[in-house]
Amino acid sequence: MSDAGSAAISIRGARKVYPTRMGLSERVAVDDVTFDVAPGTIHGLLGPNGAGKTTTLKMLLGLARPTAGDFRVLGASSRTPGGRARLGFLPEQPYFPPQLTGDQAMRLYARLSNVPASEITSRIAELLEAVGLSGRGDSRLSAYSRGMLQRLGVAQALLGRPEVVVLDEPASGLDPVGQRDMRNLMMSLRAAGTTVLLSSHQLSEVEAICDRVTILNRGAVAAEGRIEDLLNVRGRTSVRVKGAAGGLPPAVVALTDDVALSGDTAVFSVPDASVRAAVDALDDAGVAIVSVAPKRESLEDYFTALLGRSDSSKEVSS
Amino acid sequence: MIRRVSAIAGAVFLDAVKRRVVYLVLFFGVVMAVAIPALPSYGAGVQSAVYREMALALTFAAALALTLGLSANRIPGEIERRTIYAVLSKPVGRWEYMAGTWLGIFGVVGVCILGFAVVDVAVGWLVYKEVMFQLFEGAYAIWLEMGVLAAFATAISGVAGAVVVTTAGLTFLFAGHSRGSLFPPGSTGLAKMLYPSLDAFDVVNPVAHGSGFGPVYAAVMTATFLGWVGVLLLAGSAAFARRDM
């Protein structure tokens, strides 16, 4: 976790309680959520539906009033308009006035993002090109496809050259090429020093590009840390071998209980302390070792296991 | 601040233009053309006064429908369609959004009322061979009153849906013109003094039956308008700032 003072985004003790009908009871949507996003990183915000991701983002963006908590972007409270001056936001489903053209919508958002009047035209052209909408600025948004609206949403989020960008399900509605472009865009933003807070259901996307993740469940932080720290299985090493069609040597079989065999390739894990013994046994049996690396879960497996735990105990890695 | 308010106002104006609200002026012209032959026959001077009364009434009715239609739906519609997310997540204050929305509606209504007034004056000249410039003064008063109504409706629309806004707007208008019937003529007192009245904008008599109102009255009316709008938008912004999107 980075120091809150130097964090690009800092959320402290976020809590949101909604009164239910007639105000007789209340529902806690977000409860004491705290995390920081370090500058120049891509930070994933994960969680199942109803985990409190969107509510947390809405409070950060001033769209919902927190019951409690402190929300800061680059040190300034993001609850005030001035505090959002260096922030760009792509809503989960980017809705724009359908009767406007792409250019008109971008011009409106440029003025709201304080883009200098002399730069608006060139900035719009530059961003429409960057998101693959060059030449479509004259079309009405009612004629845009879902993917085109998503791309326009990204373009409007970047209008004010924000140092921090919050993207809520950016790959939603995009075809595979569009998803790849989106991933490249996020990585190029990071390379340029922009901080990205990414809320996504696409675990493979998060695993591929995020430096850290925060996982929310039932309104609270269930886990937080660097992807590799969360996914590495402590104490076990993964071994991939070729030429094992006839089976693994008995000495290796005795060390492992998770062999996955496909053709003559096998993948299995052994305790860290037994790696040397396993490698020697494989060498003696003439099996080719392809790789030896710390065992790592997929984010999907980790996510599923974490949310499945009944105690929902919080995990934090440094 | 002015840039953001004017950007939102411009978007509201552009939206209304694209929705062909301007066609309302054409429809108004047709209504006027149909209504003229229905006027009863009076002496020459009296008939033109009756015409001016009718023109003001139709202008008021058309402007009322337009004002309530725009202001009751704009913010609730933006919230429902979630187009408001892309606006309020930018460095835009809720009060700037509300003020810009009101300004845009006020502008659209102003353009349409000007169109109505041009139709009124043109028809008056064609039928009665009389240039009735005082109808522009009447149109100005109606515009200001619709500005107050738009401020009220926009303020309410930050926390309520279109049906509630329309009902509340009509009630506000009715109550605003009820001071005369609630307090007997010549009565005084704090309640009458503080009663929120819109009577300042009622200029039917000087416009229809006289030669219009003077610049001093126009200034008083404008000051009343500014006071109303300021109070209503401040209250509306305070309530809107507490709303979750």
Side-chain angles (χ1 to χ4, degrees), chain A residues 16 18 58 62-65 81 84 89 95-97 99-100 104 108 111-115 117 120 156, chain B residues 3-4 6-8 14-15 18-19 81-83 85-94 241-242 244-245:
Chain A
K16 180 67 181 175
Y18 289 107
K58 280 185 178 179
L63 295 172
R65 292 180 77 226
R84 297 191 293 274
F89 173 55
Y95 296 97
F96 303 109
Q99 68 282 3
L100 297 185
Q104 286 168 339
L108 165 65
R111 291 179 71 189
L112 298 180
S113 302
N114 298 328
V115 177
I120 287 179
Q156 65 81 29
Chain B
R3 191 170 184 237
R4 292 187 292 273
S6 64
I8 293 165
L14 188 63
D15 181 41
K18 295 219 171 193
R19 289 176 193 274
R81 291 189 300 270
R82 303 181 195 179
T83 48
Y85 287 5
V87 175
L88 291 184
S89 60
K90 297 205 160 23
V92 175
R94 299 254 178 132
R242 301 178 62 82
D244 289 338
M245 295 298 131

Side-chain angles (χ1 to χ4, degrees), chain A residues 53-67:
Chain A
K53 302 188 300 294
T54 298
T55 305
T56 302
L57 291 185
K58 280 185 178 179
M59 289 191 286
L60 174 69
L61 295 157
L63 295 172
R65 292 180 77 226
T67 307

Side-chain angles (χ1 to χ4, degrees), chain A residues 258-306:
Chain A
D258 59 352
V259 181
L261 193 61
S262 174
D264 70 341
T265 300
V267 181
F268 57 92
S269 70
V270 296
D272 290 346
S274 307
V275 173
R276 170 51 54 198
V279 168
D280 288 345
L282 291 165
D283 273 344
D284 292 345
V287 177
I289 299 169
V290 176
S291 67
V292 177
K295 186 181 178 188
R296 199 175 191 230
E297 282 185 291
S298 71
L299 185 56
E300 192 171 353
D301 289 343
Y302 176 80
F303 189 73
T304 307
L306 180 74

Side-chain angles (χ1 to χ4, degrees), chain A residues 1-12 35-37 72 74-75:
Chain A
M1 195 179 286
S2 67
D3 174 27
S6 62
I9 296 175
S10 170
I11 296 178
R12 288 272 170 279
F35 67 90
D36 295 325
V37 180
R72 296 197 170 269
L74 300 167

Side-chain angles (χ1 to χ4, degrees), chain B residues 102-147:
Chain B
W102 171 80
L103 191 61
I105 293 169
F106 187 54
V108 174
V109 172
V111 168
C112 288
I113 287 178
L114 180 64
F116 299 157
V118 168
V119 172
D120 290 339
V121 172
V123 170
W125 180 77
L126 284 171
V127 177
Y128 302 102
K129 304 296 177 216
E130 193 182 329
V131 182
M132 302 174 182
F133 276 127
Q134 65 267 47
L135 283 172
F136 283 116
E137 294 180 17
Y140 179 67
I142 292 171
W143 183 42
L144 294 187
E145 182 165 3
M146 290 305 122

Side-chain angles (χ1 to χ4, degrees), chain A residues 121-134:
Chain A
T121 303
S122 59
R123 183 75 180 138
I124 290 173
E126 175 191 335
L127 283 170
L128 289 183
E129 171 137 24
V131 298
L133 288 177
S134 191

Side-chain angles (χ1 to χ4, degrees), chain A residues 70-150:
Chain A
D70 186 46
F71 301 81
R72 296 197 170 269
V73 171
L74 300 167
S77 171
S78 61
R79 308 272 317 137
T80 63
R84 297 191 293 274
R86 295 147 81 189
L87 176 76
F89 173 55
L90 168 69
E92 181 176 355
Q93 291 182 327
Y95 296 97
F96 303 109
Q99 68 282 3
L100 297 185
T101 66
D103 270 336
Q104 286 168 339
M106 288 289 281
R107 203 162 284 277
L108 165 65
Y109 298 129
R111 291 179 71 189
L112 298 180
S113 302
N114 298 328
V115 177
S118 58
E119 292 177 20
I120 287 179
T121 303
S122 59
R123 183 75 180 138
I124 290 173
E126 175 191 335
L127 283 170
L128 289 183
E129 171 137 24
V131 298
L133 288 177
S134 191
R136 301 304 302 265
D138 291 338
S139 305
R140 277 198 181 202
L141 298 183
S142 55
Y144 275 34
S145 69
R146 175 75 205 284
M148 289 167 73
L149 287 172
Q150 193 77 4

